[in-house]
Amino acid sequence: MTSLKSLMQPHRLVLMALFAALVIWCALSLRWDWIPTYAPLALEGLWTTIWILVVTSILGFALAVPLGLAQAVGPWYLSTPARIFCTVIRGTPLLLQIWLLYYGLGSLFPQFPWIRSSELWPYLRQAWPYAVLALTLSYAGYEGEVMRGAFSGVAKGQLEAAKAYGMPRLTMFRRIWLPQAIRNVLPTLGGETILQLKATPLVATITVLDIYAVSSRVRSDTFIVYEPLLLLALVYMAIAGVITLAFKRFEDRVPQRR
């Protein structure tokens, strides 16, 4: 009941009316006859965008945990390379990283006969492994710095109490340190995942057919500009909304420290 009253406030009603009018105008005034022709390709591009986002976010976070831990408590021979890696990743454009991997490693591998004759060659000659690698390293570089602060922010008294009880280091890390660090970074993690989604269109520059590449193909084939871009914006907003709701639900289920 409270949510319904807040929804019925005058300024919200005006905004909803304007949005409805805009949707009706777009539906009636713009061209949408190209959708049936490109729908199968768009679904393929959408699937590519989603799986690249999911895979690179999971792998990137798995790499960010040791990077953050090394910077927080690691010896200098681990903390220094981790800090350099995060600095380089955060200090260079993602597009440059993608091109260096694709045009650098991608042109270097064919020079080795043992690589060309290996079972990995059918994959290494494609563009998507380099896109996945670049986005994974980018996500790890940003989240590694975030995890460094999260690990440093866990109360030292809890760790000292666990040591006093004789808890093994690995158990202490798994049951106390890592869960609290993850809980502290959940809001930031959700934001970084949305930023990762908005970085996926860059893979189209190395011929990966994601949803953005499909939109570009529609524009080049039909010379229809605004309609594909508007639909593309709605797709990204819908995915971002799902990510936001998923992290919000997860945050609500995680016990808060008292």
Side-chain angles (χ1 to χ4, degrees):
M1 192 65 178
T2 304
S3 60
L4 181 60
K5 289 182 178 180
S6 62
L7 188 63
M8 298 301 292
Q9 293 179 0
H11 70 282
R12 295 183 185 272
L13 292 175
V14 171
L15 289 176
M16 288 190 293
L18 291 175
F19 179 76
L22 179 61
V23 170
I24 294 173
W25 179 84
C26 290
L28 298 178
S29 303
L30 301 180
R31 287 186 56 187
W32 305 104
D33 55 315
W34 51 271
I35 292 180
T37 303
Y38 291 93
L41 193 63
L43 290 176
E44 180 182 348
L46 178 61
W47 167 245
T48 300
T49 296
I50 291 175
W51 77 255
I52 285 179
L53 171 66
V54 173
V55 170
T56 57
S57 297
I58 292 175
L59 294 179
F61 184 75
L63 182 58
V65 171
L67 285 172
L69 189 63
Q71 293 183 82
V73 296
W76 67 268
Y77 53 83
L78 292 178
S79 62
T80 301
R83 189 172 295 111
I84 291 175
F85 172 82
C86 292
T87 301
V88 170
I89 291 297
R90 298 170 68 197
T92 54
L94 177 56
L95 181 61
L96 176 62
Q97 298 167 19
I98 293 175
W99 283 4
L100 284 175
L101 289 175
Y102 180 66
Y103 295 109
L105 290 179
S107 61
L108 182 64
F109 286 149
Q111 301 179 17
F112 298 95
W114 61 274
I115 294 181
R116 293 177 62 92
S117 60
S118 68
E119 296 181 356
L120 293 176
W121 178 241
Y123 303 98
L124 294 177
R125 64 187 299 179
Q126 300 182 49
W128 66 264
Y130 305 97
V132 169
L133 178 60
L135 288 173
T136 298
L137 295 179
S138 175
Y139 194 87
Y142 283 92
E143 282 304 309
E145 190 66 22
V146 172
M147 291 304 298
R148 176 196 64 78
F151 283 126
S152 301
V154 175
K156 303 299 182 183
Q158 298 185 45
L159 304 180
E160 294 175 357
K163 291 180 182 178
Y165 276 103
M167 183 178 293
R169 287 181 176 270
L170 183 59
T171 303
M172 179 180 64
F173 175 78
R174 180 174 56 87
R175 300 187 62 178
I176 299 178
W177 207 357
L178 182 61
Q180 292 198 34
I182 293 178
R183 182 184 59 197
N184 293 337
V185 302
L186 275 179
T188 304
L189 188 60
E192 290 292 341
T193 304
I194 293 177
L195 290 177
Q196 184 81 341
L197 167 66
K198 294 190 288 186
T200 55
L202 293 177
V203 303
T205 62
I206 57 173
T207 71
V208 176
L209 189 66
D210 70 327
I211 188 64
Y212 174 81
V214 175
S215 173
S216 298
R217 180 174 297 185
V218 172
R219 296 199 309 273
S220 63
D221 291 348
T222 64
F223 300 102
I224 301 174
V225 178
Y226 298 108
E227 291 84 342
L229 292 177
L230 287 174
L231 194 57
L232 181 66
L234 290 177
V235 169
Y236 282 123
M237 288 176 63
I239 300 175
V242 171
I243 294 173
T244 301
L245 291 176
F247 273 92
K248 181 65 169 61
R249 186 177 180 84
F250 188 55
E251 288 179 39
D252 293 339
R253 299 184 63 178
V254 172
Q256 298 297 317
R257 183 175 58 188
R258 296 183 182 277

